Amino acid sequence: MMTRRRFIVSSMAAVGGLATVSACSSRTNTDSHTHIVSSIRRHGKVQEGSRPALMRELVRYATLAPSSHNTQCWKFHIEDRSISILPDFSRRCSVVDPDDHHLFVSIGCATENLIQAASANGLNGEALFDLSLNGIVRVSLEPTKAVSTPQFNAIPERQSTRSEYDGKPISTNELAMLERSGTGKGVRILLLTEPAEMENVLDYVVQGNTVQMNDSAFVEELKAWIRFSESDAVRTRDGLYSASSGNPSVPSWLGSLLFGLFYTQKNENDKYARQVRSSSGIAVFVSEIVVAPDFQTSV
């Protein structure tokens, strides 16, 4: 069974050697956060005829999928003609995601990444979700003509920004392109560009964030996934590296002490207001609800 953390360490060792990462503050070029991220978030070529190397490369692409708090809530089981993606419930966020909805959305994103990467490497991926087997997704892989889709090419480029935007308007053609890209089977997109509409959304965002900030369990769960120092981010290969959101990289003990001083309801709500008001618009994705057998879903 392979987790992303084990996968990354073993893969790096195989392609050039990975020095043991310590918790000390001194860093070398090869074990810095920037270097490790660059070595993971990339397109790469696999030696022709090396099936094990190809399967591991597909797993690497799968691990570039988004997950709540960057928990990487998955494990991978590699067989000769398939890869199974298993939910790792030990990494669930029981407060912010009590019904594991986000966890399984993350599994779905990892599955899509894997299928797109398989297509680019001459394999057709067919996913089967088996609820009776604790939510395992099995992707069968059969030879086909290699096709690199725009979705595949975008995998290493995907990122979330937590900074302010430039506020420049989006053209009509760009809006149409976004609408086409966000519309598919069972999914449609609502694009909100009028200031009044965006302020209405911001009001809901502030209300929701206020409720969360007043929930001590939510705050503690979030804090547990923040990696305040570069050495912690490198060591764990998960969580939210504080420097990525514009905050300084500090020792964990100091970051933990300062967290409550800066992570406040007012600061967070003001940050969201700046982000919304500096953006060109807001995209809202709407999907159909599929009710599984023996399950009831209400809206």
mmCIF file of all heavy atoms in Angstrom, residues 214-240:
data_model
loop_
_atom_site.group_PDB
_atom_site.id
_atom_site.type_symbol
_atom_site.label_atom_id
_atom_site.label_comp_id
_atom_site.label_asym_id
_atom_site.label_seq_id
_atom_site.Cartn_x
_atom_site.Cartn_y
_atom_site.Cartn_z
ATOM 1 N N ASN A 214 -16.042 31.060 15.159
ATOM 2 C CA ASN A 214 -16.561 30.933 16.524
ATOM 3 C C ASN A 214 -16.643 29.478 16.985
ATOM 4 O O ASN A 214 -17.098 29.203 18.099
ATOM 5 C CB ASN A 214 -17.953 31.582 16.629
ATOM 6 C CG ASN A 214 -17.881 33.097 16.560
ATOM 7 O OD1 ASN A 214 -16.939 33.698 17.064
ATOM 8 N ND2 ASN A 214 -18.875 33.720 15.938
ATOM 9 N N ASP A 215 -16.209 28.567 16.123
ATOM 10 C CA ASP A 215 -16.197 27.140 16.445
ATOM 11 C C ASP A 215 -14.758 26.755 16.797
ATOM 12 O O ASP A 215 -13.906 26.620 15.927
ATOM 13 C CB ASP A 215 -16.695 26.338 15.245
ATOM 14 C CG ASP A 215 -16.807 24.846 15.524
ATOM 15 O OD1 ASP A 215 -16.214 24.379 16.523
ATOM 16 O OD2 ASP A 215 -17.471 24.148 14.742
ATOM 17 N N SER A 216 -14.479 26.577 18.069
ATOM 18 C CA SER A 216 -13.114 26.290 18.510
ATOM 19 C C SER A 216 -12.594 24.982 17.927
ATOM 20 O O SER A 216 -11.401 24.853 17.641
ATOM 21 C CB SER A 216 -13.044 26.245 20.039
ATOM 22 O OG SER A 216 -13.923 25.249 20.560
ATOM 23 N N ALA A 217 -13.488 23.998 17.728
ATOM 24 C CA ALA A 217 -13.057 22.718 17.165
ATOM 25 C C ALA A 217 -12.578 22.903 15.728
ATOM 26 O O ALA A 217 -11.582 22.303 15.308
ATOM 27 C CB ALA A 217 -14.198 21.711 17.220
ATOM 28 N N PHE A 218 -13.282 23.743 14.954
ATOM 29 C CA PHE A 218 -12.864 24.026 13.585
ATOM 30 C C PHE A 218 -11.493 24.694 13.561
ATOM 31 O O PHE A 218 -10.618 24.328 12.776
ATOM 32 C CB PHE A 218 -13.885 24.930 12.883
ATOM 33 C CG PHE A 218 -13.379 25.541 11.611
ATOM 34 C CD1 PHE A 218 -13.386 24.829 10.425
ATOM 35 C CD2 PHE A 218 -12.870 26.845 11.600
ATOM 36 C CE1 PHE A 218 -12.898 25.386 9.250
ATOM 37 C CE2 PHE A 218 -12.381 27.400 10.421
ATOM 38 C CZ PHE A 218 -12.398 26.681 9.251
ATOM 39 N N VAL A 219 -11.308 25.679 14.429
ATOM 40 C CA VAL A 219 -10.044 26.416 14.467
ATOM 41 C C VAL A 219 -8.890 25.486 14.823
ATOM 42 O O VAL A 219 -7.815 25.530 14.215
ATOM 43 C CB VAL A 219 -10.125 27.588 15.462
ATOM 44 C CG1 VAL A 219 -8.768 28.260 15.618
ATOM 45 C CG2 VAL A 219 -11.166 28.603 15.000
ATOM 46 N N GLU A 220 -9.097 24.603 15.796
ATOM 47 C CA GLU A 220 -8.042 23.679 16.207
ATOM 48 C C GLU A 220 -7.720 22.667 15.116
ATOM 49 O O GLU A 220 -6.565 22.303 14.908
ATOM 50 C CB GLU A 220 -8.446 22.954 17.498
ATOM 51 C CG GLU A 220 -8.386 23.829 18.740
ATOM 52 C CD GLU A 220 -6.996 24.418 18.952
ATOM 53 O OE1 GLU A 220 -6.004 23.653 18.922
ATOM 54 O OE2 GLU A 220 -6.904 25.647 19.144
ATOM 55 N N GLU A 221 -8.745 22.214 14.395
ATOM 56 C CA GLU A 221 -8.504 21.272 13.298
ATOM 57 C C GLU A 221 -7.701 21.935 12.189
ATOM 58 O O GLU A 221 -6.752 21.347 11.647
ATOM 59 C CB GLU A 221 -9.832 20.751 12.759
ATOM 60 C CG GLU A 221 -9.679 19.709 11.651
ATOM 61 C CD GLU A 221 -11.018 19.159 11.200
ATOM 62 O OE1 GLU A 221 -11.748 19.888 10.468
ATOM 63 O OE2 GLU A 221 -11.350 18.022 11.586
ATOM 64 N N LEU A 222 -8.060 23.162 11.837
ATOM 65 C CA LEU A 222 -7.317 23.903 10.816
ATOM 66 C C LEU A 222 -5.875 24.111 11.255
ATOM 67 O O LEU A 222 -4.930 23.893 10.483
ATOM 68 C CB LEU A 222 -7.987 25.245 10.555
ATOM 69 C CG LEU A 222 -7.232 26.208 9.634
ATOM 70 C CD1 LEU A 222 -7.047 25.599 8.249
ATOM 71 C CD2 LEU A 222 -7.952 27.547 9.556
ATOM 72 N N LYS A 223 -5.694 24.516 12.484
ATOM 73 C CA LYS A 223 -4.348 24.787 13.018
ATOM 74 C C LYS A 223 -3.475 23.540 12.935
ATOM 75 O O LYS A 223 -2.275 23.621 12.653
ATOM 76 C CB LYS A 223 -4.461 25.268 14.462
ATOM 77 C CG LYS A 223 -3.151 25.636 15.124
ATOM 78 C CD LYS A 223 -3.405 26.129 16.547
ATOM 79 C CE LYS A 223 -2.114 26.425 17.281
ATOM 80 N NZ LYS A 223 -2.376 26.879 18.670
ATOM 81 N N ALA A 224 -4.078 22.370 13.170
ATOM 82 C CA ALA A 224 -3.315 21.121 13.145
ATOM 83 C C ALA A 224 -2.763 20.815 11.763
ATOM 84 O O ALA A 224 -1.775 20.073 11.639
ATOM 85 C CB ALA A 224 -4.206 19.971 13.614
ATOM 86 N N TRP A 225 -3.375 21.379 10.705
ATOM 87 C CA TRP A 225 -2.914 21.103 9.338
ATOM 88 C C TRP A 225 -2.047 22.223 8.782
ATOM 89 O O TRP A 225 -1.632 22.147 7.620
ATOM 90 C CB TRP A 225 -4.110 20.850 8.418
ATOM 91 C CG TRP A 225 -4.727 19.514 8.644
ATOM 92 C CD1 TRP A 225 -5.875 19.228 9.317
ATOM 93 C CD2 TRP A 225 -4.199 18.246 8.213
ATOM 94 N NE1 TRP A 225 -6.108 17.877 9.344
ATOM 95 C CE2 TRP A 225 -5.087 17.244 8.670
ATOM 96 C CE3 TRP A 225 -3.072 17.868 7.502
ATOM 97 C CZ2 TRP A 225 -4.883 15.895 8.420
ATOM 98 C CZ3 TRP A 225 -2.860 16.518 7.259
ATOM 99 C CH2 TRP A 225 -3.763 15.552 7.712
ATOM 100 N N ILE A 226 -1.765 23.243 9.553
ATOM 101 C CA ILE A 226 -0.886 24.308 9.091
ATOM 102 C C ILE A 226 0.566 23.930 9.383
ATOM 103 O O ILE A 226 0.897 23.489 10.481
ATOM 104 C CB ILE A 226 -1.236 25.654 9.767
ATOM 105 C CG1 ILE A 226 -2.621 26.133 9.303
ATOM 106 C CG2 ILE A 226 -0.178 26.706 9.443
ATOM 107 C CD1 ILE A 226 -3.056 27.446 9.909
ATOM 108 N N ARG A 227 1.416 24.083 8.391
ATOM 109 C CA ARG A 227 2.844 23.827 8.548
ATOM 110 C C ARG A 227 3.538 25.193 8.608
ATOM 111 O O ARG A 227 3.714 25.861 7.613
ATOM 112 C CB ARG A 227 3.377 23.000 7.367
ATOM 113 C CG ARG A 227 2.589 21.712 7.122
ATOM 114 C CD ARG A 227 2.632 20.767 8.308
ATOM 115 N NE ARG A 227 1.820 19.582 8.106
ATOM 116 C CZ ARG A 227 0.867 19.197 8.926
ATOM 117 N NH1 ARG A 227 0.585 19.925 10.016
ATOM 118 N NH2 ARG A 227 0.181 18.086 8.692
ATOM 119 N N PHE A 228 3.881 25.596 9.829
ATOM 120 C CA PHE A 228 4.405 26.941 10.038
ATOM 121 C C PHE A 228 5.834 27.109 9.528
ATOM 122 O O PHE A 228 6.234 28.204 9.149
ATOM 123 C CB PHE A 228 4.354 27.298 11.528
ATOM 124 C CG PHE A 228 2.964 27.387 12.077
ATOM 125 C CD1 PHE A 228 2.433 26.375 12.862
ATOM 126 C CD2 PHE A 228 2.163 28.489 11.800
ATOM 127 C CE1 PHE A 228 1.154 26.451 13.374
ATOM 128 C CE2 PHE A 228 0.870 28.582 12.306
ATOM 129 C CZ PHE A 228 0.366 27.555 13.092
ATOM 130 N N SER A 229 6.607 26.048 9.535
ATOM 131 C CA SER A 229 8.005 26.144 9.126
ATOM 132 C C SER A 229 8.253 25.366 7.839
ATOM 133 O O SER A 229 7.526 24.421 7.511
ATOM 134 C CB SER A 229 8.922 25.604 10.227
ATOM 135 O OG SER A 229 8.776 24.197 10.353
ATOM 136 N N GLU A 230 9.297 25.753 7.125
ATOM 137 C CA GLU A 230 9.663 25.055 5.903
ATOM 138 C C GLU A 230 10.043 23.611 6.196
ATOM 139 O O GLU A 230 9.687 22.699 5.456
ATOM 140 C CB GLU A 230 10.824 25.766 5.208
ATOM 141 C CG GLU A 230 11.244 25.108 3.896
ATOM 142 C CD GLU A 230 12.400 25.819 3.226
ATOM 143 O OE1 GLU A 230 12.997 26.708 3.853
ATOM 144 O OE2 GLU A 230 12.703 25.480 2.072
ATOM 145 N N SER A 231 10.756 23.400 7.299
ATOM 146 C CA SER A 231 11.189 22.046 7.627
ATOM 147 C C SER A 231 9.997 21.135 7.894
ATOM 148 O O SER A 231 10.005 19.966 7.500
ATOM 149 C CB SER A 231 12.124 22.055 8.841
ATOM 150 O OG SER A 231 11.495 22.636 9.971
ATOM 151 N N ASP A 232 8.948 21.662 8.537
ATOM 152 C CA ASP A 232 7.747 20.852 8.768
ATOM 153 C C ASP A 232 7.029 20.548 7.461
ATOM 154 O O ASP A 232 6.532 19.439 7.250
ATOM 155 C CB ASP A 232 6.789 21.564 9.728
ATOM 156 C CG ASP A 232 7.181 21.388 11.178
ATOM 157 O OD1 ASP A 232 8.078 20.565 11.454
ATOM 158 O OD2 ASP A 232 6.598 22.072 12.044
ATOM 159 N N ALA A 233 6.961 21.532 6.570
ATOM 160 C CA ALA A 233 6.304 21.324 5.279
ATOM 161 C C ALA A 233 7.037 20.266 4.463
ATOM 162 O O ALA A 233 6.423 19.412 3.820
ATOM 163 C CB ALA A 233 6.236 22.639 4.506
ATOM 164 N N VAL A 234 8.371 20.299 4.518
ATOM 165 C CA VAL A 234 9.176 19.321 3.786
ATOM 166 C C VAL A 234 9.051 17.946 4.422
ATOM 167 O O VAL A 234 8.940 16.925 3.725
ATOM 168 C CB VAL A 234 10.650 19.770 3.754
ATOM 169 C CG1 VAL A 234 11.549 18.655 3.254
ATOM 170 C CG2 VAL A 234 10.803 21.011 2.873
ATOM 171 N N ARG A 235 9.038 17.907 5.740
ATOM 172 C CA ARG A 235 9.006 16.619 6.448
ATOM 173 C C ARG A 235 7.677 15.900 6.250
ATOM 174 O O ARG A 235 7.649 14.696 6.025
ATOM 175 C CB ARG A 235 9.263 16.845 7.934
ATOM 176 C CG ARG A 235 9.131 15.585 8.800
ATOM 177 C CD ARG A 235 9.474 15.892 10.253
ATOM 178 N NE ARG A 235 8.661 16.976 10.774
ATOM 179 C CZ ARG A 235 7.430 16.805 11.264
ATOM 180 N NH1 ARG A 235 6.870 15.601 11.262
ATOM 181 N NH2 ARG A 235 6.757 17.838 11.739
ATOM 182 N N THR A 236 6.571 16.619 6.323
ATOM 183 C CA THR A 236 5.255 15.970 6.296
ATOM 184 C C THR A 236 4.712 15.781 4.882
ATOM 185 O O THR A 236 3.912 14.879 4.637
ATOM 186 C CB THR A 236 4.235 16.791 7.101
ATOM 187 O OG1 THR A 236 4.103 18.095 6.519
ATOM 188 C CG2 THR A 236 4.672 16.917 8.555
ATOM 189 N N ARG A 237 5.104 16.671 3.939
ATOM 190 C CA ARG A 237 4.563 16.617 2.567
ATOM 191 C C ARG A 237 3.041 16.720 2.540
ATOM 192 O O ARG A 237 2.374 16.146 1.684
ATOM 193 C CB ARG A 237 4.964 15.321 1.871
ATOM 194 C CG ARG A 237 6.226 15.337 1.074
ATOM 195 C CD ARG A 237 7.449 15.415 1.895
ATOM 196 N NE ARG A 237 8.610 14.988 1.104
ATOM 197 C CZ ARG A 237 9.818 14.895 1.601
ATOM 198 N NH1 ARG A 237 10.039 15.172 2.875
ATOM 199 N NH2 ARG A 237 10.820 14.521 0.837
ATOM 200 N N ASP A 238 2.490 17.450 3.458
ATOM 201 C CA ASP A 238 1.039 17.633 3.467
ATOM 202 C C ASP A 238 0.726 18.943 4.169
ATOM 203 O O ASP A 238 1.619 19.722 4.516
ATOM 204 C CB ASP A 238 0.340 16.448 4.152
ATOM 205 C CG ASP A 238 0.723 16.303 5.632
ATOM 206 O OD1 ASP A 238 1.345 17.226 6.188
ATOM 207 O OD2 ASP A 238 0.402 15.254 6.229
ATOM 208 N N GLY A 239 -0.558 19.212 4.369
ATOM 209 C CA GLY A 239 -0.968 20.399 5.097
ATOM 210 C C GLY A 239 -0.804 21.686 4.315
ATOM 211 O O GLY A 239 -0.522 21.695 3.115
ATOM 212 N N LEU A 240 -1.001 22.794 5.011
ATOM 213 C CA LEU A 240 -0.983 24.117 4.411
ATOM 214 C C LEU A 240 0.268 24.863 4.865
ATOM 215 O O LEU A 240 0.379 25.247 6.031
ATOM 216 C CB LEU A 240 -2.240 24.895 4.832
ATOM 217 C CG LEU A 240 -3.576 24.192 4.555
ATOM 218 C CD1 LEU A 240 -4.718 24.916 5.254
ATOM 219 C CD2 LEU A 240 -3.831 24.091 3.062
#
